[in-house]
Amino acid sequence: MSRQSNRTTDSKKMNAELFTLTYGALVTQLCKDYENDEEVNKQLDKIGYNIGVRLIEDFLARSSVGRCQDFRETADVIAKVAFKMYLGITPSVTNWSPAGDEFSLILESNPLVDFVELPDNHTSLVYSNLLCGVLRGALEMVQMAVDVKFSQDTLRGDNVTEIRMKFIKRMEENLPAGDE
């Protein structure tokens, strides 16, 4: 019995390492294809956005989470359910703005940056910017416009990785004509 659970653990670890290395290859190729880090950051955000747009359907089906009532509940679901489900980590939700429209996700560990060191010539590269796009794309599909950016990153020498999320507006559902 324990032998089977060891295989499952080894398989998950191998899958995580394969994902990390594949993501690293993607970032490396983008750095070769584009002139500067800002353009690579835009491409990572765009790729992440496209993933988020599709990933939300899987998330809603697998998690059976209902519609969140407010931005605080959304933050908790992102941290405790989504990050756990897809990255195997649970960031803490902190640094709420007084208006309650902005918060930080603190990642003690970021699985995307395992085995990574940023070269000196890529000082403005936001290596994990894909995550910002995923969050923005997924939330847009549930009618929530947000601004997402990294404010701290362990790859830049910070103690933690911090993703800052700001609520912009609740979007109107656009139903096709006749589907009202």
Side-chain angles (χ1 to χ4, degrees):
M1 182 67 102
S2 66
R3 193 171 187 197
Q4 181 65 30
S5 67
N6 283 344
R7 281 189 196 153
T8 303
T9 303
D10 290 345
S11 175
K12 285 183 180 180
K13 183 174 169 83
M14 281 191 335
N15 286 338
E17 288 178 359
L18 177 63
F19 174 68
T20 301
L21 294 172
T22 304
Y23 182 72
L26 170 71
V27 175
T28 300
Q29 188 61 50
L30 287 172
C31 288
K32 290 177 183 174
D33 291 348
Y34 292 94
E35 299 282 323
N36 60 49
D37 290 345
E38 289 307 315
E39 193 58 39
V40 174
N41 293 340
K42 286 179 189 172
Q43 291 302 315
L44 288 171
D45 182 76
K46 182 178 176 182
I47 293 167
Y49 177 85
N50 289 328
I51 291 170
V53 164
R54 289 162 183 78
L55 195 63
I56 189 68
E57 290 181 30
D58 179 67
F59 172 75
L60 293 172
R62 290 177 52 199
S63 69
S64 65
V65 169
R67 182 175 287 274
C68 294
Q69 299 304 310
D70 58 24
F71 200 47
R72 284 188 184 271
E73 185 180 353
T74 302
D76 284 340
V77 168
I78 290 168
K80 295 177 182 163
V81 183
F83 268 86
K84 184 72 170 169
M85 184 182 293
Y86 293 106
L87 293 176
I89 60 171
T90 306
S92 56
V93 178
T94 186
N95 299 334
W96 279 96
S97 66
D101 65 345
E102 196 170 355
F103 67 90
S104 293
L105 291 169
I106 306 293
L107 288 70
E108 298 296 328
S109 67
N110 178 356
L112 292 181
V113 301
D114 291 345
F115 321 115
V116 174
E117 287 183 27
L118 285 181
D120 293 336
N121 60 334
H122 288 287
T123 56
S124 59
L125 177 66
V126 183
Y127 184 85
S128 300
N129 211 37
L130 179 106
L131 294 176
C132 294
V134 168
L135 291 166
R136 198 170 48 79
L139 290 173
E140 193 172 294
M141 292 297 102
V142 292
Q143 286 73 45
M144 193 175 289
V146 294
D147 180 43
V148 187
K149 64 180 183 251
F150 277 87
S151 57
Q152 291 188 71
D153 195 342
T154 54
L155 286 179
R156 299 191 189 291
D158 297 317
N159 293 331
V160 294
T161 299
E162 178 180 358
I163 300 173
R164 193 81 182 143
M165 293 187 66
K166 180 174 178 53
F167 176 79
I168 298 171
K169 68 178 181 173
R170 173 82 57 191
M171 300 164 58
E172 297 293 321
E173 277 191 70
N174 294 327
L175 297 175
D179 283 359
E180 296 166 25

